[in-house]
Structures are given as structure tokens and as C-alpha cells.
Amino acid sequence: MKPDLFEAPDYYNLDDLLSEEHKLVRDAARDWVKRDVSPIIEDAAQKAEFPKSIIGGLAEIGAFGPYIPEEYGGAGLDQISYGLIMQEIERGDSGVRSTASVQSSLVMYPIWKYGSEEQRQKYLPKLASGEWMGSFGLTEPDHGSNPGGMTTNFKDVGDHYLLNGAKLWISNSPFCDVAVVWAKNEEGRIHGLIVERGMEGFSTPETHNKWSLRASATGELIFQDVKVPKENLLPNKSGLGAPLGCLDSARYGIAWGAIGAAMDCYDTALRYAKERIQFGKPIGAFQLQQKKLAEMITEITKAQLLAFRLGQLKNEDKATSAQISMAKRNNVEIAIKIAREARQILGGMGITGEYSIMRHMMNLESVITYEGTHDIHLLITGLDITGLNAFK
Ligand code: TGC
Ligand code: FAD
């Protein structure tokens, strides 16, 4: 792969709106990605291997629980810092950002928000340091966009619960130490349970042959009469709103992360367009290529402003689920379009692993699907503005 020459576009001087702490956090993540992710990520993706060697670095830059209080091992940062970290990581690779998103927003967040003090003390510091890795089991083979239909269930059998069912498409599952699993009790009410590797009847087979997120490990969570101790139930929230609340936090991170992938594609295409000569001129001198680049920087700038404003609202605890949904949908959509256009600017070179664009483009096919598909997010906005539910 080519050396990482990334220079971040900032067309509207967004840096002027960032605090010194935001810039320090962002720059530390940016430097780490250049030093420790870019040199190895193409190889990991080609081999379809999650590079476990980066776990320590992710913990060091505060990517595991950026906004979780320091008393639990988190970085105690604000939401804009969290977003900037996700942006920088996804600039390197969406799969690496997935690992961080799941650990922070889908595993640490529910334990912090819905867990007991004992659960917080037991799990959060180890998750923040990367000593333990987590996964989040909501999706099932027959219930993706409609998680409320889930059939994974648990029964109270006296001194423990008995958990049965299966989850599919679970990031980090093949190597997770703990899984936050959503299942229905005998009354059909959804609860979160912390399942630990080693519990009898719990297995995590890997899903192979993906063309997307190849540097992220994806798999199943299978539960066959798993005895889950009663103290592993998350006590402070139940119902579908509990897992959906975690998704709000992860979708927010993706809204920033997708900008990172878009920035990398744009920056690569811009450099290439200025250097590549055809018909005696740099291809960047042709109007058609300038149109592509001009549209890319415009969409990136709009996405940056959307994410920044959403971060302010999140910091004030005022961001609605529908606002988060819009930012996730828009920013992933512009990123995937930019990746496709950037790929064309590179011509044949664009399909090779010499450049990051094709990897971003394939990764973004997952990002536009998980955490709510593009269509589901359109319907969330549709419901919010009309008051009419078009899901069912
Ligand atoms: P609905 O009746 O609308 O809502 C049920 C209850 O949930 C509440 N609620 C929310 N609460 C918090 N945050 C949100 N975003 C919420 N959305 C809804 C709602 O108020 C209600 O509460 P209550 O108290 O009245 O019961 O539910 P529905 O069954 O009609 O479904 C709505 C729909 C389709 C929007 C929702 O199910 C949905 O978002 N579907 C998409 C599924 C999804 O996003 N799955 C993601 C799985 S995890 C993942 O992909 C990780 S990838 C990670 C990575 O690698 O980065
Ligand atoms: P479906 O729900 O079957 O949707 C298929 C199509 O139908 C989509 O185009 C959808 O938009 C459309 N559709 C569905 N319902 C409607 C409707 N009402 N109106 C209009 N159109 C509709 N899940 C987890 O729980 N944890 C994870 O860690 C996780 N990681 C993932 C990692 C990867 C790489 C991938 C690909 C997925 C991951 N997921 C995870 C699952 C992901 O959240 C689901 O794939 C996603 O929610 C969509 O579900 P589905 O694939 O079953 O598609």
C-alpha cells in the first residue's frame, strides 16, 4: 500500500470551533492511525483478519469508552471528542471503527447506563483497557430491521436464568470475552444480559467470505441452555428502548466515522488528480474531474457541520433519536457516493489495494446497512416529520 500522506480537508475552518482538548484528542488519534493502522490494514483486510495488535493502541487513544467517566476507566471526554476519535479511526478503516463503536457504545454504554454498580466496577475498567473485548447481540437471523420480533429468550429457573437462541451478524463475536445480549423473558419483555465466554452452551462461530469489513471479525452468538447468573441481568432498563438507546450512541459515532472514510477518499483522489497526467495535462485540470472533487468537498463540509452541531446537541443532552438517525443516514450515504466517485478518478489503480478507496467503498456497504439500514433511517425521519408510521 502507498504511504499514508493524508491531509484532512477543513474547507469551512471547522478547527476554529474546536477546543484545544478536541484538537489534542483528534491529533493523537490521527497520528496513531497513520503510525499503527495504515501500514497494516490493507494486509489485514486482504487476509480477512482482525488485527488484534491494535487493541492496545485503541485503548491508549481513548477509543474504548471516550465519554465513560474516568472512575470506570473511560476517558471522560465530551461527545465531540468521541466523534472526532471515531472520524479518525474510520479514516483508517470502518472495521476498526466498528470494533471501537461496539466496545464503547454497545457494550460499555449499556453496562454504564443500565447496569448495577457491581457490574460497572466489574466490567468497565477491563473493557476500557482492552483487556476484555465485548460484542452486542441484537440482530437475529429472522429479525434484523425489526429487532422487536426477536425470539432469543430466557427463563427464570431459580438461582439462574436459562438462555436460548441465536444472534447473527455480530461484530467482534469471534473473539469477544463478554457479550451484551438482548433476549425476552417469559412475559415477552426485552432485557439485556451479560454473557461471558466460557459459559457452557455459549458459542461464537465466525462468519466467513465477507467482501466488506474484512478487517473486522463478524460472527454469531449461539445460546443452548446457557446458565446465566442472575447478577448478569442489566437491572435498570428493559424494553426495546434499551437496546435502541445504545444504538443512538453508536449511530452518532458512525455519523462522524463516515466523514473520516469520505475525507480519506477525497484526499486520495485530489492528490491523484493533481499528479496523474493524461492527454498532456493532470486529470484534475479536466472539468469532469473537478466537478467530482468539488461535489465531494461540498458534501464533506456539509457532513462535518451536521456532525458538529449534533455533537453540541449531544453535549447538552438535547439530541433526539431522529436527529441522530438523519446524521447517520446522510453522512454514510455521502461517504459511499464519494468513495465510488473517488474510485473512478483513480481509474484502474482505484480497484487495487495500493490505495484505500476500494476498501472504504466495500466497508461502507456494511456501514450503510448496520445500525439501521438507509431505508429504516428514511422511515425514522418520515415518521418524525409526518407523525405517520410507515414501518408496519
Ligand atoms: P418502536 O415501537 O418505534 O419503539 C419501541 C420502543 O423504543 C423506543 N425507541 C427508542 N429509544 C431510544 N432510542 C431510539 N433510537 C429509539 N427508537 C425507538 C420507543 O420510544 C419505544 O419505547 P416504549 O417505551 O414506548 O416502548 O419500535 P419498532 O418495533 O416499531 O421499531 C422501530 C425501528 C424500526 C426504528 C427500530 O426497531 C430500528 O431502529 N430498527 C433498526 C435495527 C437496528 O438498527 N439494528 C442495529 C443492530 S446493532 C448493529 O448493527 C451494530 S453494528 C456495529 C458496528 O459494527 O459498528
Ligand atoms: P433486513 O431487515 O432483512 O432488511 C432487508 C432490506 O429490507 C433492507 O434494504 C431494508 O432497508 C428493507 N426493509 C426492512 N424493513 C423495511 C420496512 N419496514 N420498510 C421498508 N424497507 C424495509 N447487529 C447486531 O446486533 N450487532 C452487531 O454487532 C452487528 N454488526 C454487524 C456487522 C456487519 C458487518 C453487518 C453487515 C451487520 C451487523 N449487524 C449487527 C446487523 C445489522 O444491524 C443488520 O444487518 C441490519 O439491521 C439489517 O438487518 P438485516 O440484515 O436482517 O436486513
Side-chain angles (χ1 to χ4, degrees):
M1 195 176 159
K2 296 267 183 211
D4 185 350
L5 303 173
F6 177 68
E7 285 175 44
D10 182 15
Y11 204 71
Y12 263 43
N13 303 341
L14 198 69
D15 261 27
D16 293 351
L17 302 179
L18 301 179
S19 68
E20 284 311 306
E21 181 175 71
H22 293 147
K23 287 188 242 181
L24 278 172
V25 165
R26 192 262 323 268
D27 293 349
R30 185 169 291 169
D31 292 347
W32 175 74
V33 168
K34 272 203 178 185
R35 194 185 63 235
D36 288 358
V37 178
S38 297
I40 56 133
I41 198 65
E42 180 63 29
D43 190 46
Q46 293 282 359
K47 291 182 177 149
E49 284 173 3
F50 169 67
K52 282 195 180 162
S53 60
I54 63 172
I55 288 176
L58 280 166
E60 270 170 34
I61 61 164
F64 294 156
Y67 54 84
I68 301 286
E70 286 170 291
E71 61 180 301
Y72 299 118
L77 297 167
D78 77 344
Q79 292 290 324
I80 291 175
S81 292
Y82 162 43
L84 288 164
I85 293 173
M86 296 299 121
Q87 172 188 285
E88 294 306 316
I89 297 176
E90 192 148 1
R91 206 282 296 173
D93 189 81
S94 304
V96 180
R97 198 269 309 133
S98 273
T99 296
S101 288
V102 169
Q103 184 88 341
S104 297
S105 291
L106 300 181
V107 180
M108 296 177 74
Y109 177 88
I111 294 173
W112 175 47
K113 280 285 176 188
Y114 315 145
S116 65
E117 190 52 32
E118 292 72 31
Q119 289 168 341
R120 291 185 196 124
Q121 298 286 352
K122 176 175 176 187
Y123 295 103
L124 293 179
K126 286 197 165 73
L127 290 162
S129 69
E131 184 181 340
W132 284 352
M133 294 301 292
S135 69
F136 174 88
L138 181 64
T139 305
E140 298 187 351
D142 294 329
H143 301 96
S145 298
N146 175 27
M150 70 174 68
T151 58
T152 298
N153 63 87
F154 64 99
K155 287 190 174 65
D156 187 333
V157 289
D159 64 341
H160 60 266
Y161 299 119
L162 217 48
L163 177 65
N164 279 288
K167 301 287 177 179
L168 185 66
W169 293 120
I170 307 304
S171 301
N172 300 356
S173 104
F175 59 81
C176 70
D177 302 287
V178 295
V180 169
V181 177
W182 300 93
K184 285 180 177 166
N185 68 9
E186 286 150 282
E187 288 76 49
R189 181 96 184 147
I190 294 172
H191 287 266
L193 296 157
I194 306 171
V195 180
E196 297 184 19
R197 184 170 295 281
M199 287 181 176
E200 209 179 319
F202 174 42
S203 58
T204 60
E206 182 157 1
T207 301
H208 294 288
N209 300 332
K210 291 179 300 169
W211 283 112
S212 175
L213 286 196
R214 288 172 62 81
S216 159
T218 314
E220 297 169 62
L221 301 173
I222 298 176
F223 316 102
Q224 288 175 321
D225 287 333
V226 180
K227 288 181 184 169
V228 181
K230 287 200 159 168
E231 65 263 23
N232 283 28
L233 182 105
L234 297 176
N236 296 331
K237 190 159 167 115
S238 64
L240 186 58
L244 292 180
C246 307
L247 297 187
D248 277 355
S249 179
R251 289 168 179 173
Y252 167 76
I254 293 172
W256 282 89
I259 299 171
M263 292 198 306
D264 197 47
C265 293
Y266 165 77
D267 179 60
T268 304
L270 178 63
R271 190 171 303 108
Y272 192 87
K274 290 198 277 192
E275 288 169 0
R276 172 74 174 164
I277 309 289
Q278 288 295 289
F279 299 96
K281 288 201 287 196
I283 58 169
F286 296 114
Q287 289 181 5
L288 282 173
Q289 305 313 318
Q290 288 195 3
K291 175 177 185 289
K292 290 190 183 90
L293 292 163
E295 286 174 350
M296 284 182 203
I297 190 63
T298 308
E299 292 307 319
I300 288 170
T301 304
K302 284 152 67 179
Q304 286 171 328
L305 294 170
L306 190 61
F308 183 80
R309 176 62 187 144
L310 187 63
Q312 289 180 321
L313 291 171
K314 284 274 284 173
N315 277 342
E316 295 163 12
D317 211 14
K318 286 186 193 156
T320 65
S321 298
Q323 286 171 331
I324 295 167
S325 161
M326 178 185 281
K328 188 269 182 185
R329 169 174 55 82
N330 179 77
N331 291 7
V332 177
E333 187 185 33
I334 67 105
I336 208 166
K337 285 184 174 161
I338 286 170
R340 288 171 186 153
E341 292 287 284
R343 215 285 309 146
Q344 293 198 56
I345 291 178
L346 267 70
M349 286 312 292
I351 71 154
T352 72
E354 286 293 295
Y355 295 90
S356 56
I357 295 176
M358 188 82 177
R359 177 165 46 78
H360 282 306
M361 190 170 106
M362 295 196 300
N363 283 342
L364 288 162
E365 292 291 343
S366 287
V367 182
I368 203 165
T369 297
Y370 66 36
E371 298 275 2
T373 65
H374 185 77
D375 296 336
I376 289 296
H377 288 295
L378 283 169
L379 296 177
I380 290 173
T381 304
L383 170 60
D384 195 47
I385 59 179
T386 65
L388 304 169
N389 187 330
F391 291 110
K392 22 194 170 183

